[in-house]
Amino acid sequence: MIINFSVQNFGSIKDKQTLSFEADKSKHLEDYFIIHSIGGIRLLKLGLLYGANASGKTGILKALDFLRDLVLEPEEKKTDEIKFNPFLFDSQTPNLPSFLSIDFIQNNIRYFYEIEFNRKSILKEQLSIYNPSKATVFLRTTNTEKQFSEIKFGKKIILDKSFKKTLESNTIWNNTVLGGFLKTNIELKELKEVTDWFSNYLRPIVLTKTQLDDYVTSEIESTDIKKEDIISILKKADFNISDIIIKKIERDVSPDFLDFLEKIVQPPEKSLNEIKNKRKITTTKIELEHTINDVSYKLPFELESEGTQRYYGFAGLLSLLLKDSMAIPIDELESSLHPDLFTHFLLSFLINSKSSQLIATTHNREILNNKDIFRNDSIWFTNKDENGATDLYSLSDFDSSVIRDTTNIYNAYKIGKLGGSPNLGDYFIDIRNEK
């Protein structure tokens, strides 16, 4: 579970900003919002980010996703650049290191991971563990002139003699130690626990353009998601869907299509060889069955509305969030969803989930009109300062002079009292048609 996530000099974020899931002292909606963790830590299940367009909401989620990729998808060559942009609206920041850190819990153990980097290399990296007091697992530093990384382990870490040498040889200067660990067959419990957390708990970002239907369908086929669960979720969301029909269709492929697959698509070699040998390709077709007045009608998935298609994917995500323990970042959660369905999705997650977390950006202000379904510490705002940099702050950061128990949060946000909203000009646009 995520406790805190911090980012500095990354995208639109200049100074250090921290997204925290530590709950404040309020007992409001305790049974639905709060995960009780080790050491009495109370963690929030939900974080909603509000803000104007281009204020940095998505940037927070992308920074979290970038950290995940940095760990799980290490570069193959030391000449490869790390693909990100530092804060660019400043003469100094492009030449300064960027910084990410995350404080999290895995299998009832608290870890703290922090990393400094630029486009060429990982400059510094440290993993600490609380057992019960904070202790170093490893500290990595990089000699940028020699392009060599040195790893020092904490006093309580017991290593095989060849372990350190093997790990250092696999940790090239633009890879994390955790990424280097994934390239080896060596074992160290703390590193395995942390890489497992990044792989299994922290899931990839879901963008508005992310096609979830293929993923959800494959999870149904592999039985990781039960079809009955998806149908139940869709029914509760008033989609009147009684069945999901998944068909495998095999068709011949031409030499030109094989050439296209090999040169452009570049599927895994095993899959490509299988297609070449069979001269056939198998595709999956989805149909949703609608039962109306006791009569069933099948509709191809591509003919369903945008909202139905998106919620089919969300139904899959919701079933995973309830069944397993994971954190999913979602950009523009309300996209293609009716406001009531947006609220229904959030409440279904909050009421039924145990130890999962949802981090989402949104422009949906209606939820702020009902204090019976949100906590102040679960609402965050992004605002651009006068230098074009992102400021991130929580609704719970405001004192009683701004937010009282009787304050209408929706109206306060709507009139700009809380920030995080666009500063718009008048409606007159002078377009001159001069020739």
Side-chain angles (χ1 to χ4, degrees), residues 59-298:
I60 299 291
L61 302 194
K62 285 187 174 180
L64 184 60
D65 195 58
F66 173 85
L67 179 59
R68 182 182 189 274
D69 285 348
L70 208 57
V71 170
L72 299 179
E73 299 180 16
E75 302 290 350
E76 294 297 325
K77 300 176 183 177
K78 67 191 305 180
T79 54
D80 291 337
E81 284 200 344
I82 299 173
K83 300 173 184 65
F84 84 103
N85 285 314
F87 184 74
L88 298 177
F89 296 162
D90 186 284
S91 60
Q92 301 296 319
T93 49
N95 301 311
L96 296 175
S98 296
F99 171 88
L100 295 170
S101 71
I102 193 159
D103 195 355
F104 62 96
I105 293 170
Q106 166 75 340
N107 288 335
N108 291 319
I109 301 292
R110 182 176 178 179
Y111 295 90
F112 181 71
Y113 179 63
E114 55 187 331
I115 185 168
E116 289 183 28
F117 56 96
N118 56 30
R119 285 194 179 106
K120 291 186 177 180
S121 69
I122 306 299
L123 303 172
K124 185 180 177 182
E125 180 184 7
Q126 186 166 3
L127 176 66
S128 303
I129 188 171
Y130 292 79
N131 197 20
S133 59
K134 189 176 181 180
T136 298
V137 176
F138 72 79
L139 171 63
R140 174 263 189 91
T141 53
T142 301
N143 185 321
T144 54
E145 291 184 3
K146 296 181 180 179
Q147 299 184 9
F148 175 76
S149 296
E150 182 183 7
I151 306 169
K152 294 181 179 179
F153 285 90
K155 296 178 181 179
K156 295 182 179 180
I157 304 300
I158 301 172
L159 300 173
D160 181 86
K161 290 183 179 180
S162 61
F163 184 99
K164 184 173 181 291
K165 185 176 181 180
T166 301
L167 187 57
E168 281 184 338
S169 66
N170 280 278
T171 305
I172 55 179
W173 76 323
N174 57 354
N175 280 192
T176 64
V177 171
L178 299 175
F181 172 74
L182 290 173
K183 293 180 179 180
T184 71
N185 289 322
I186 56 180
E187 284 294 327
L188 182 63
K189 180 184 176 182
E190 289 80 4
L191 298 191
K192 187 176 187 309
E193 287 285 292
V194 171
T195 52
D196 282 351
W197 185 87
F198 276 101
S199 178
N200 300 323
Y201 187 82
L202 182 58
R203 297 302 176 97
I205 185 173
V206 176
L207 299 167
T208 52
K209 62 184 179 182
T210 303
Q211 297 294 319
L212 289 171
D213 47 280
D214 288 342
Y215 168 71
V216 172
T217 302
S218 66
E219 292 290 288
I220 291 173
E221 291 181 299
S222 66
T223 68
D224 288 333
I225 293 177
K226 292 182 180 179
K227 185 173 74 169
E228 296 76 18
D229 293 342
I230 304 301
I231 295 169
S232 174
I233 291 170
L234 291 171
K235 282 183 177 179
K236 289 178 182 294
D238 195 31
F239 280 105
N240 198 32
I241 291 168
S242 51
D243 198 6
I244 300 166
I245 298 98
I246 302 171
K247 297 179 180 179
K248 293 292 185 181
I249 300 174
E250 195 172 64
R251 56 189 176 89
D252 297 331
V253 295
S254 66
D256 288 342
F257 184 74
L258 281 174
D259 190 54
F260 170 77
L261 280 178
E262 189 168 12
K263 293 180 179 178
I264 306 299
V265 180
Q266 297 179 342
E269 187 175 353
K270 182 179 179 181
S271 300
L272 183 62
N273 289 335
E274 186 177 335
I275 294 170
K276 283 181 176 179
N277 293 333
K278 292 175 63 178
R279 293 281 170 173
K280 293 180 181 294
I281 190 168
T282 302
T283 58
T284 302
K285 184 177 177 63
I286 314 170
E287 292 179 339
L288 299 183
E289 181 185 83
H290 299 254
T291 300
I292 302 171
N293 295 325
D294 296 326
V295 180
S296 297
Y297 303 88
K298 296 174 184 176

Side-chain angles (χ1 to χ4, degrees), residues 291-432:
T291 300
I292 302 171
N293 295 325
D294 296 326
V295 180
S296 297
Y297 303 88
K298 296 174 184 176
L299 194 64
F301 189 80
E302 61 271 17
L303 295 183
E304 297 284 357
S305 71
E306 290 288 333
T308 303
Q309 291 183 28
R310 185 161 171 81
Y311 208 79
Y312 173 80
F314 275 21
L317 296 183
L318 184 57
S319 70
L320 290 172
L321 286 163
L322 304 188
K323 181 172 70 76
D324 300 319
S325 179
M326 63 181 67
I328 299 181
I330 303 178
D331 190 34
E332 295 191 14
L333 178 61
E334 77 281 3
S335 179
S336 298
L337 301 183
H338 187 279
D340 289 348
L341 187 55
F342 171 90
T343 303
H344 177 83
F345 177 81
L346 288 180
L347 292 178
S348 297
F349 165 70
L350 289 169
I351 291 170
N352 297 285
S353 62
K354 304 301 181 196
S355 56
S356 289
Q357 292 171 303
L358 187 62
I359 315 150
T361 70
T362 181
H363 294 287
N364 186 315
R365 299 181 298 194
E366 289 193 12
I367 195 172
L368 301 178
N369 221 4
N370 189 346
K371 288 188 177 181
D372 290 336
I373 58 176
F374 77 88
R375 288 173 53 104
N376 286 5
D377 51 5
S378 69
I379 305 295
W380 291 79
F381 301 102
T382 53
N383 207 38
K384 275 199 173 181
D385 65 18
E386 59 185 11
N387 298 311
T390 297
D391 282 332
L392 175 69
Y393 50 92
S394 169
L395 182 58
S396 64
D397 291 337
F398 291 94
D399 61 30
S400 58
S401 65
V402 180
I403 298 296
R404 299 184 178 90
D405 290 340
T406 56
T407 299
N408 186 306
I409 304 299
Y410 171 81
N411 287 338
Y413 178 57
K414 188 176 179 180
I415 65 175
K417 193 175 181 180
L418 307 178
S421 55
N423 183 20
L424 304 175
D426 60 42
Y427 303 115
F428 180 74
I429 300 174
D430 185 12
I431 297 178
R432 299 180 182 183

